[in-house]
Amino acid sequence: MSQNAKETFTTAPAPSPATDPAADPATDAPPAAAPTPAALRARIRGLGASMTRSVQVVAEAVAADPAGCSRLTVTALAERTGTSEATVVRTARLLGYPGYRDLRLALAALAGRQESDAAPAVTAGIAVDDPLGDVVAKLAHEEAQTLADTAAALDLAQLSAAVDALANARRIDVYGVGASALVGQDLAQKLLRIGLIAHAHHDPHLAVTNSVQLRPGDVAVAVTHSGGTGDVVDPLRHAFERGATTIAVTGSPSSPVTHYADLVLATSAARESRLRPAAMSSRTSQLLVVDCLFVGVAQRTYETAAPALAASYEALAPRHRATAPRTTRQESRP
C-alpha cells in the first residue's frame, strides 16, 4: 500500500512536481498523454458516457471542485466519493494522467485558472418555463463552452495528419447519419468548393457500397458523436480494410468507430437534457472540427484552392442578387 493510502488526514497540501507523495497502484489501463489543465474539463465531459458509475462519480467530483480535490489525498478523495483508492487512481489514468499525483497538480492549476476567470452569468440548464431571453443566454453560454472544450481537447498532431491526408486524397468519402449527416454534408461541400473530390453518404447502403471501392490514397471520414452507430462504423471498417486512410470525428475516443480509424478527432458536447439532446450540442463541436479541417486543407492547397473558391463565388454571384418585389406584402393583401 502506498504512503498516501495509509494517511488518515482528510486534506493535504497539493504536491509539487519535485515530490512524489504517492506511488499509485497499478491499473490495467495504460496512461494516455496527460491533457493540459484547460483540457481536463473537456476530457471529463467527453468521456462521461463511457465511464463506469464509480469512475464517473470521481470524475464529476474533481470537475465540480478542482480546488478542494487538489488538496485531498487519494484516501480522502475515495472517502469523499464513496469509492476506493483503486477507483480514484483508475480515474486519473482514464483522464490521461500517469497517476493521482499528476491529476492533483492539474486540478490545482485548473483551480487557479478558474479563480482568475469571471464566473459565467448563466447556468447551462434550460427549464421548461424559462423566458425566451434566458434560453438564448443559456444556449449561447453552453455553445461557447462546448467550443472551448473541443478546442482544448483537440489533438493538433492528429488534426495536422488528417489535413495532410485530405489535401492529398484521390477521393474522399464522408459517412454520417441523423444530425451527423448534416455535418458530413457540410464537410463534403466545403471540400468540393476547393476542387477536391468529396462525397457525403447518409444512406447506409450507399455508404457501404462506396466504401468497398476505396483503396490506398483515398480518405474516409466518419462523423458520429456516440462512436457506436453501426451505419457509420460499418462503412469506415470497409474503408479501413481496403487501405484507405480513415478519420473518426467522435465524442467517444474509446468507442467502436475508433477501432477502424487511423486518426481520431475528439469532440465535446454539453450534458443531454429533455430540451436539448446530445445531437444538438455535439453538432456545434463537430462543425468546429470540420471548419478546422477545411481551413487547414485550403492552406495546404492554396494555389489550387484559391482559384477554385474564386470561380465558385463568381458562378454563384448572380444567384445572390434577388430583384426587389414590385409590391409589398401589405399592398398585395385584399
Side-chain angles (χ1 to χ4, degrees), residues 2 13 15 46 65 125 129 149 162 165 201 236 249 255 260 272 285 309 324:
S2 68
D65 184 17
D129 56 352
D149 286 349
H201 305 287
L236 193 74
V249 179
S255 60
Y260 309 107
E272 189 165 358
S285 57
L309 277 174

Side-chain angles (χ1 to χ4, degrees), residues 168-186:
N168 296 297
R170 182 189 69 93
R171 165 182 163 184
I172 300 163
D173 274 13
V174 188
Y175 314 123
V177 296
S180 294
L182 302 176
V183 176
Q185 291 172 11
D186 185 65

